Amino acid sequence: MLSRFVNRLTVLPRWIIILIDSVFIAGATVAGYLIRFNFQWKYAILFNIHLSITVTVMAALIATFATKSYAGIVRYTGVDDGFRIFYTALFSLGIASLTNLIYYYNSGKNLIPYSVLLIVFLASFVFLFYYRLVVKTIFTYYKSDVSNKKRVAIFGAGQAGVITKNAIDSDTKGNLKVIAFFEDDQSKVGKVISSNKIYDATKDFNAVVERYNISQVIFAIEDIEPARKNEMVELCLGKKIQVRSIPSVRTWVGGELNVSEIKEVNIEDLLGRESIQIGKDHLYKEFRSKTIVVTGAAGSIGSELVRQLVTYNPSTLILIDQAETQLYDIECELLGKQSSVKILSFVADICNKTRLNYVFAQFKIDILFHAAAYKHVPVMEKNPYEAVYCNVLGTRTLADLAIDYGIRKFVMVSTDKAVNPTSIMGCSKRIAEIYVQSLNNFHESMGLSHTSFVTTRFGNVLGSNGSVIPLFKRQIASGGPITVTHPEITRYFMTIPEASSLVLEAGVMGNGGEIFLFDMGKPIKIHDLARKMILLSGFEEGKDIKIVFTGLREGEKLYEELLGGRENSIPTHHSKILKAKVSEYSFDKISNMVDLLIELASDKNELKMVTLMKEIVPEFKSNYSRFELLDN
């Protein structure tokens, strides 16, 4: 019966809150007299208690209206309400003391002993705050019909975990009920948070899940190691427990967590290694007040590069891309940040030297980030001319213009597919690497003031346009099947923000001629990735969503590499960035060969063009491709 009453109860009218508070103030006054005179009523009645009650209640009412302590919703009482009640009680003490002082000057005696006023102050604060907490607890208890709610365990018993529990408890229309906490910190294990015990996440997990029928685990901890999070997620998924996590604290609206912000764990969250952190100060020094160009600015890496660059306050940021709509979108996004940075976008083909001349002639450019490229291996295997045009001719055009216009630094984004390439795309990127490095070394050897050319090389990027994860998500959404090319195929993965920040870092540290490699962690088996995505989506592999193996595509590798057989690496000052020692080429020779390569592409002489590519890059061996015959 009480449960039905509580469930139907809405927010109490303010006059009822004020009335209840007044009753507690009156009670605190009586308690003050009893405590002051050791519960000897005969001494207490020597004072006019009725008048004393009137004074304390009236003082409290004045203070209540002044501080609006009645405005809080009782069932949501929190720390802020406690401070408000404390200020109200303190203000009330001041008013009552002033009244007592006036009474003393008029009658020669105190109306209320000051010791009683002090006791009333303390007692009223305790009574008013505690009864609100009791009402909140009762309301939460009766609103939480556990039989109709999902039983939740929170991983992390720190401040974020407590805030998550409070957010869930305060969500009266929600269907979640916190049952327990899990922790790796042994100093917290065994303790209790708001009637919920903290359990050892390793030793007690299975027993607690079975005993309390836990259906959902929420990660409420930001500093958990990815490997540990992966381990716990695997454990949860194995028991068909839904896994969710709270967003980063800095993204909370108004600094508070809302239950609607608790999201399912994404596969991107399970990278399986520590995120790479980049220092900021030297990047500010490098990019502040500079004019910077980003090609491929509408792509996955390019758009993230410009998002990060704008935070370093360059004077002008120039965006170049062929994709008109996506270029417009990123321009609008940046302009919406209301930054002082001047944002300019140009629709342009990086192979069109006339168009690029027009753009470059308008500015004194300091740095150029070259992220424009054709990157899809099977597509470029079918369209080899376009791979040569964009990745080789486009890069050469930009590099030559960088020299002509005195651009101080040119940073090229390359790929691990350029290492021992098995595809047209990978080989075209390797030729682009060779050209910019040899161009840098040629000008350096001549003692000329020149552009510093730096190359960055990394693997696949999680969630980038056309990558495997968005594809798998679409396939899962449509009911499957998920298509994987080979059960043993593996790839290195990195998040888009990580890759972009490392490109910026490498660009700053490079002096010219370097090819930087990024620590990509351990390679991930694509089959495992697909299986985990199915489980994270709440489905069962084989039963709900099938995985189908389709065979390696044209030019595709089974395993990716970051270094070639004849290459090795040397460390840099950043532990996650290495410098590759690669075979170097004569600029005159490579320049002539690139000229011939582009001429063959223009003549649509496919076999001669690919043959020349294999001559330029001897380690280029085609795989699952019609060009394999050229290797024989």
Side-chain angles (χ1 to χ4, degrees):
M1 178 135 183
L2 181 58
S3 176
R4 284 198 299 270
F5 170 73
V6 172
N7 286 332
R8 291 175 182 174
L9 192 64
T10 56
V11 179
L12 288 174
R14 291 177 178 177
W15 68 267
I16 294 181
I17 301 295
I18 294 171
L19 180 61
I20 295 173
D21 287 354
S22 299
V23 171
F24 275 108
I25 296 296
T29 306
V30 174
Y33 274 103
L34 290 175
I35 293 171
R36 167 63 180 81
F37 295 106
N38 296 319
F39 294 90
Q40 299 292 320
W41 188 252
K42 61 183 179 181
Y43 298 116
I45 59 176
L46 295 176
F47 291 84
N48 191 337
I49 294 179
H50 294 89
L51 185 56
S52 298
I53 291 173
T54 302
V55 170
T56 55
V57 170
M58 291 303 297
L61 286 173
I62 294 171
T64 296
F65 282 106
T67 60
K68 296 184 178 180
S69 63
Y70 58 82
I73 300 175
V74 175
R75 64 172 179 259
Y76 297 145
T77 298
V79 175
D80 290 341
D81 297 288
F83 280 117
R84 193 180 296 114
I85 291 169
F86 177 81
Y87 296 142
T88 301
L90 189 62
F91 191 13
S92 177
L93 173 63
I95 295 172
S97 298
L98 181 61
T99 304
N100 207 34
L101 191 62
I102 294 172
Y103 186 87
Y104 177 81
Y105 279 111
N106 284 289
S107 64
K109 61 179 181 178
N110 288 324
L111 173 62
I112 310 171
Y114 283 102
S115 56
V116 171
L117 287 177
L118 184 59
I119 294 171
V120 171
F121 160 67
L122 295 172
S124 61
F125 169 68
V126 172
F127 287 169
L128 295 180
F129 189 45
Y130 189 72
Y131 101 77
R132 283 169 166 79
L133 293 178
V134 169
V135 171
K136 176 184 177 181
T137 302
I138 293 173
F139 188 89
T140 301
Y141 178 81
Y142 281 104
K143 287 292 287 185
S144 302
D145 184 1
V146 180
S147 61
N148 294 325
K149 291 179 179 282
K150 291 182 179 179
R151 294 168 177 260
V152 172
I154 296 175
F155 189 100
Q159 185 178 9
V162 174
I163 292 172
T164 303
K165 173 180 165 51
N166 291 337
I168 292 172
D169 289 345
S170 299
D171 184 24
T172 57
K173 295 182 180 180
N175 67 335
L176 304 178
K177 172 64 179 176
V178 178
I179 302 297
F181 284 88
F182 287 121
E183 255 294 348
D184 286 331
D185 186 349
Q186 295 301 309
S187 65
K188 297 177 183 177
V189 172
K191 297 178 181 178
V192 175
I193 298 177
S194 300
S195 76
N196 295 126
K197 188 175 179 180
I198 303 172
Y199 294 93
D200 189 309
T202 301
K203 298 178 181 178
D204 302 327
F205 183 83
N206 291 332
V208 171
V209 165
E210 293 175 10
R211 185 190 313 160
Y212 296 111
N213 193 26
I214 302 296
S215 63
Q216 188 176 123
V217 171
I218 298 174
F219 283 85
I221 179 171
E222 286 198 84
D223 58 354
I224 184 172
E225 293 183 0
R228 176 57 175 151
K229 188 171 186 178
N230 244 319
E231 181 185 349
M232 286 302 301
V233 169
E234 287 279 6
L235 198 56
C236 292
L237 295 179
K239 293 183 174 294
K240 298 182 180 179
I241 296 173
Q242 185 182 14
V243 186
R244 304 175 75 193
S245 64
I246 65 170
S248 174
V249 174
R250 62 180 178 273
T251 66
W252 294 0
V253 179
E256 296 184 359
L257 176 66
N258 190 292
V259 174
S260 63
E261 295 177 291
I262 302 175
K263 303 295 184 184
E264 293 182 359
V265 170
N266 292 317
I267 194 66
E268 290 89 342
D269 300 327
L270 306 177
L271 191 56
R273 62 183 177 82
E274 291 292 336
S275 294
I276 298 172
Q277 302 299 320
I278 299 296
K280 303 289 186 183
D281 292 343
H282 60 295
L283 298 184
Y284 273 110
K285 184 179 179 181
E286 177 76 3
F287 302 131
R288 185 185 289 118
S289 302
K290 301 296 194 302
T291 297
I292 301 174
V293 172
V294 178
T295 68
S300 302
I301 295 296
S303 61
E304 181 61 25
L305 279 174
V306 298
R307 288 187 189 98
Q308 294 189 22
L309 281 168
V310 80
T311 65
Y312 297 111
N313 295 322
S315 63
T316 306
L317 202 50
I318 301 166
L319 319 182
I320 296 176
D321 206 294
Q322 284 194 96
E324 174 216 10
T325 301
Q326 291 89 336
L327 186 62
Y328 172 76
D329 290 341
I330 188 63
E331 181 186 28
C332 289
E333 179 186 329
L334 296 178
L335 292 174
K337 296 181 184 296
Q338 297 182 338
S339 167
S340 60
V341 180
K342 187 176 182 181
I343 307 294
L344 299 170
S345 64
F346 293 88
V347 176
D349 180 351
I350 60 171
C351 298
N352 188 335
K353 191 171 184 177
T354 303
R355 173 63 171 159
L356 293 177
N357 256 315
Y358 169 78
V359 175
F360 286 18
Q362 298 181 53
F363 309 96
K364 181 65 179 73
I365 300 168
D366 297 292
I367 304 169
L368 189 153
F369 287 93
H370 174 35
Y374 282 143
K375 64 177 185 176
H376 295 290
V377 169
V379 177
M380 290 301 101
E381 207 69 18
K382 296 172 183 174
N383 300 273
Y385 307 123
E386 296 306 313
V388 169
Y389 286 142
C390 180
N391 296 347
V392 180
L393 174 59
T395 299
R396 189 187 73 171
T397 302
L398 286 165
D400 291 348
L401 286 174
I403 294 286
D404 294 343
Y405 284 95
I407 296 175
R408 183 169 58 84
K409 187 166 286 187
F410 180 108
V411 183
M412 187 181 97
V413 175
S414 190
T415 170
D416 58 359
K417 293 175 179 61
V419 181
N420 293 329
T422 60
S423 65
I424 295 293
M425 191 282 284
C427 185
S428 67
K429 291 296 287 184
R430 177 65 188 128
I431 294 171
E433 288 183 356
I434 293 169
Y435 185 84
V436 298
Q437 186 180 44
S438 62
L439 179 61
N440 181 92
N441 295 343
F442 170 74
H443 280 267
E444 195 172 77
S445 66
M446 298 293 289
L448 302 173
S449 176
H450 71 290
T451 302
S452 297
F453 291 91
V454 178
T455 297
T456 60
R457 187 192 283 176
F458 53 89
N460 295 272
V461 180
L462 286 165
S464 63
N465 296 332
S467 72
V468 69
I469 289 176
L471 172 64
F472 286 175
K473 286 180 178 178
R474 290 194 299 271
Q475 290 176 334
I476 291 171
S478 62
I482 285 183
T483 54
V484 178
T485 56
H486 192 283
E488 297 301 321
I489 192 168
T490 63
R491 290 292 181 266
Y492 291 98
F493 284 102
M494 178 177 282
T495 64
I496 294 174
E498 272 185 315
S500 300
S501 61
L502 282 172
V503 169
L504 298 181
E505 175 76 11
V508 170
M509 73 166 63
N511 295 314
E514 303 97 339
I515 294 180
F516 289 112
L517 317 172
F518 299 161
D519 179 358
M520 298 294 296
K522 296 179 180 179
I524 297 172
K525 189 177 287 189
I526 302 300
H527 182 203
D528 292 341
L529 191 69
R531 183 183 60 81
K532 191 173 290 186
M533 287 184 66
I534 291 171
L535 294 173
L536 285 172
S537 301
F539 298 112
E540 188 174 336
E541 180 191 351
K543 182 180 178 181
D544 303 312
I545 304 288
K546 293 181 180 180
I547 296 177
V548 176
F549 298 106
T550 58
L552 290 175
R553 298 171 296 179
E554 281 191 289
E556 195 167 46
K557 285 183 179 182
L558 198 58
Y559 310 104
E560 297 289 10
E561 306 161 273
L562 288 173
L563 282 170
R566 289 181 294 175
E567 298 177 358
N568 53 32
S569 63
I570 56 177
T572 68
H573 74 264
H574 195 291
S575 61
K576 301 297 183 180
I577 302 178
L578 303 173
K579 186 166 69 172
K581 294 182 69 176
V582 299
S583 303
E584 296 187 358
Y585 290 69
S586 159
F587 175 69
D588 289 336
K589 181 179 179 181
I590 193 64
S591 181
N592 291 332
M593 295 181 86
V594 167
D595 285 340
L596 179 57
L597 181 67
I598 294 167
E599 183 181 327
L600 292 172
S602 300
D603 291 342
K604 300 296 183 288
N605 196 328
E606 185 177 85
L607 291 180
K608 284 189 176 181
M609 182 190 77
V610 178
T611 299
L612 181 58
M613 293 177 75
K614 291 178 180 290
E615 183 181 342
I616 298 171
V617 184
E619 62 270 25
F620 171 29
K621 305 296 180 185
S622 298
N623 199 28
Y624 292 93
S625 169
R626 66 187 184 279
F627 299 120
E628 285 183 80
L629 61 91
L630 298 176
D631 295 323
N632 297 323

